Amino acid sequence: MPNPVLLTLSGSLRRGATNRRLLHEAVRLFGDATHVEADLDLPLYDGDVETGEGIPASVQILADQISAADAVLISTPEYNKGPSGVLKNALDWVSRTDGRPFADKPVAVMSAASGQTGGERAQLILRAFLVSFRPRVLVEPVLHLGESGRQFDPAGLLINDQHLTTLVTLMQNLRSEIES
Ligand SMILES: Cc1cc2nc3c(=O)[nH]c(=O)nc-3n(C[C@H](O)[C@H](O)[C@H](O)COP(=O)(O)O)c2cc1C
């Protein structure tokens, strides 16, 4: 498929997030594509807001972006052995929107964290969270970027050849999944 739309979801909101850098590297290595970066700076899920005011506009934008994307890339930090609340909150809101936007969507999941295991536990839990959304989550290769603050050069490029090779394969697999 020429010029597929790739939507990236960073579980870390901070400007210098290594998860966002990893997603940018993934998009670069994917090649020809239109990149859309989701804004997960959403209100906290609150059933009273949903009942009283409906789905917030920012949440509906996210759900529409997921629906419109040919593939979604998610990268989570590890906070206290789990995915970030930012990401869980976004998934909880999306689950309340109409149309099951993640259903059958090709999804690549990664993690980046300052610990040596690179958010491996957080990524496993995130993969479990995603099951009920019924996406087509790539099983391999698995990329969990440890000591993530040390893994990029000043231009934001990954410095480790092994990580690069893994990410290239993951993106090739994602392209195949889009086309299958
Ligand atoms: C509340 C909190 C909890 C954290 N818990 C973990 C952890 O369990 N494992 C880990 O490797 N790093 C942990 N960290 C460090 C993060 O991995 C680090 O802040 C990382 O850079 C976050 O990703 P980012 O660069 O995309 O923001 C924690 C950080 C915060 C703020």
Side-chain angles (χ1 to χ4, degrees), residues 31-55:
D32 169 54
T34 297
H35 177 204
V36 178
E37 193 168 329
D39 181 3
L40 300 193
D41 192 1
L42 306 171
L44 283 178
Y45 177 77
D46 180 338
D48 288 339
V49 171
E50 185 185 1
T51 305
E53 302 162 30
I55 299 292

Side-chain angles (χ1 to χ4, degrees), residues 10-17 19-20 38-42 77 79 84 86-87:
S10 170
S12 173
L13 296 179
R14 71 184 186 94
R15 271 190 303 278
N19 280 277
R20 187 176 295 109
D39 181 3
L40 300 193
D41 192 1
L42 306 171
Y79 289 167
S84 64
V86 163
L87 209 39

Side-chain angles (χ1 to χ4, degrees), residues 12 14 16-19 77-81 112-115 121 148:
S12 173
R14 71 184 186 94
T18 55
N19 280 277
E78 182 166 88
Y79 289 167
N80 300 303
K81 325 295 183 218
S114 58
R121 292 158 295 195
S148 60

Side-chain angles (χ1 to χ4, degrees), residues 15-134:
R15 271 190 303 278
T18 55
N19 280 277
R20 187 176 295 109
R21 281 190 238 169
L22 181 59
L23 289 165
H24 280 256
E25 272 293 75
V27 171
R28 179 180 73 85
L29 296 168
F30 184 90
D32 169 54
T34 297
H35 177 204
V36 178
E37 193 168 329
D39 181 3
L40 300 193
D41 192 1
L42 306 171
L44 283 178
Y45 177 77
D46 180 338
D48 288 339
V49 171
E50 185 185 1
T51 305
E53 302 162 30
I55 299 292
S58 54
V59 172
Q60 193 56 54
I61 287 170
L62 174 62
D64 291 345
Q65 287 173 328
I66 295 167
S67 293
D70 294 303
V72 180
L73 282 70
I74 310 177
S75 189
T76 185
E78 182 166 88
Y79 289 167
N80 300 303
K81 325 295 183 218
S84 64
V86 163
L87 209 39
K88 182 66 164 64
N89 184 55
L91 291 174
D92 289 340
W93 267 125
V94 167
S95 74
R96 306 299 292 167
T97 63
D98 291 333
R100 301 184 66 88
F102 271 114
D104 286 327
K105 192 73 60 182
V107 173
V109 175
M110 305 180 287
S111 56
S114 58
Q116 289 198 350
T117 52
E120 188 175 10
R121 292 158 295 195
Q123 187 180 146
L124 270 175
I125 295 167
L126 174 59
R127 286 171 183 270
F129 285 165
L130 285 168
V131 168
S132 60
F133 293 82
R134 301 269 180 262

